[in-house]
Amino acid sequence: MDLGIEGKWALVCAASKGLGKGCAAALAREGVNVVITARGDEALQATAAELRAFGRGEVRTVAGDITTAAGRAAALAACPQVDILVNNAGGPPPGDFRDWGREEWIAALDANMLAPIALMKATVDAMAQRGFGRVVNITSGAVKAPIESLGLSNGARSGLTGFVAGLARQTRLAGRNVTINNLLPGPFDTDRLRKNVEAGAQRQGRPFESVWDQRRLALPTQRFGTPEEFGAVCAFLCSVHAGYITGQNWLLDGGSYPGTF
Ligand SMILES: NC(=O)c1ccc[n+]([C@@H]2O[C@H](COP(=O)([O-])OP(=O)(O)OC[C@H]3O[C@@H](n4cnc5c(N)ncnc54)[C@H](OP(=O)(O)O)[C@@H]3O)[C@@H](O)[C@H]2O)c1
């Protein structure tokens, strides 16, 4: 299927690894020009080289922290126009809410709620003027089914989700072919998941492989998702074919969520 977005410009945040990289790669394969960001420049350059090897659109990199105003300004400055915005950042650490103070909450809100809102504020009205725009926010399955130890994520991402539900339905956006949707990953095989499992294995005094396999075999699919699968869904949501899908929360979890709906 031709997604019809060749030549568009996409800003894909936090995209040197994992799910963000999966999204950037899927868009780059479609001939979208991509600006990718991450804090660490080495992995960012390696990813850019991989995307350039597709031989399609332009690939630009911006090293910086997308949760800061300076990081966002640099990312926006590198993108001639933002037709597609993929919001992403690292997730907050696990813990017990009794140990979190204002500082921890503000950091989580900055990363997983306010940064994506700031980037939408900077881009969606221009998208509407041009008559095309696609925003995909990478959130988490924890928005639908909270994960006890990830209270900061449950809270901050739910705030973003509630805000997006209203914004996406503004006629000045939806009526001008600007869609805003959230992708909710369940467990995907990325560095982040591997680090989380490694930490759990150390806490339990068990080998990594044993905890990894236990987690994997508890899934209906008996496997974790891949960044490529995640990217493919993101690219479809960014396509010309997805103009009638907005304000939605798509769970990509291999059937882990146990509800009928
Ligand atoms: N993988 C899963 O199973 C899963 C499940 C649910 C939710 N999620 C959420 O999905 C998001 C992506 O997860 P992932 O598994 O793809 O993580 P990952 O493999 O650790 O990759 C994270 C990427 O984001 C970049 N990044 C992190 N913080 C950043 C910042 N402040 N500014 C710019 N770039 C930043 C990282 O590069 P640098 O470190 O160099 O900046 C890296 O490129 C996270 O919010 C995570 O909590 C993941």
Side-chain angles (χ1 to χ4, degrees):
M1 185 194 283
D2 178 0
L3 298 188
I5 47 178
E6 184 174 359
K8 301 276 189 206
W9 277 93
L11 171 56
V12 188
C13 305
S16 66
K17 297 179 187 169
L19 304 180
K21 178 180 174 181
C23 295
L27 291 168
R29 280 188 195 283
E30 292 299 318
V32 174
N33 304 306
V34 295
V35 175
I36 56 173
T37 86
R39 291 163 303 179
D41 198 44
E42 199 179 322
L44 190 61
Q45 295 310 330
T47 294
E50 280 181 47
L51 304 194
R52 287 184 188 118
F54 300 157
R56 301 294 310 268
E58 200 175 321
V59 180
R60 297 185 184 176
T61 60
V62 179
D65 185 341
I66 205 67
T67 70
T68 66
R72 289 190 291 277
L76 289 166
C79 204
Q81 67 184 48
V82 182
D83 303 306
I84 293 168
L85 170 65
V86 180
N87 275 316
N88 186 31
D96 186 322
F97 99 102
R98 293 162 190 82
D99 300 326
W100 299 327
R102 183 173 170 75
E103 204 179 308
E104 286 80 5
W105 275 108
I106 294 298
L109 291 170
D110 269 343
N112 299 116
M113 179 180 175
L114 300 177
I117 290 173
L119 285 169
M120 286 188 275
K121 185 179 175 187
T123 55
V124 293
D125 288 335
M127 290 176 182
Q129 270 172 11
R130 292 191 297 268
F132 178 91
R134 299 284 184 265
V135 180
V136 173
N137 299 303
I138 300 179
T139 65
S140 172
V143 173
K144 191 161 168 85
I147 299 169
E148 190 186 328
S149 62
L150 292 179
L152 291 167
S153 173
N154 299 338
R157 295 187 201 273
S158 294
L160 174 66
T161 304
F163 171 75
V164 162
L167 183 68
R169 289 168 173 83
Q170 287 189 358
T171 51
R172 61 197 282 193
L173 299 178
R176 294 283 303 153
N177 194 21
V178 177
T179 68
I180 310 178
N181 293 289
N182 304 318
L183 286 181
L184 285 58
F188 277 77
D189 186 351
T190 65
D191 278 10
R192 176 176 167 91
L193 185 68
R194 285 180 178 272
K195 276 182 203 146
N196 285 348
V197 169
E198 180 64 50
Q202 274 176 14
R203 270 197 311 274
Q204 297 168 42
R206 292 169 55 195
F208 171 87
E209 287 303 335
S210 137
V211 179
W212 183 258
D213 285 344
Q214 184 184 25
R215 190 126 184 233
R216 178 177 65 74
L217 293 170
L219 303 169
T221 48
Q222 308 264 285
R223 69 172 181 86
F224 298 110
T226 68
E228 291 74 20
E229 289 172 314
F230 192 89
V233 177
C234 175
F236 175 74
L237 273 180
C238 295
S239 76
V240 294
H241 310 297
Y244 205 52
I245 303 168
T246 196
Q248 301 305 302
N249 290 278
W250 283 11
L251 189 60
L252 278 69
D253 72 345
S256 302
Y257 178 75
T260 304
F261 294 100

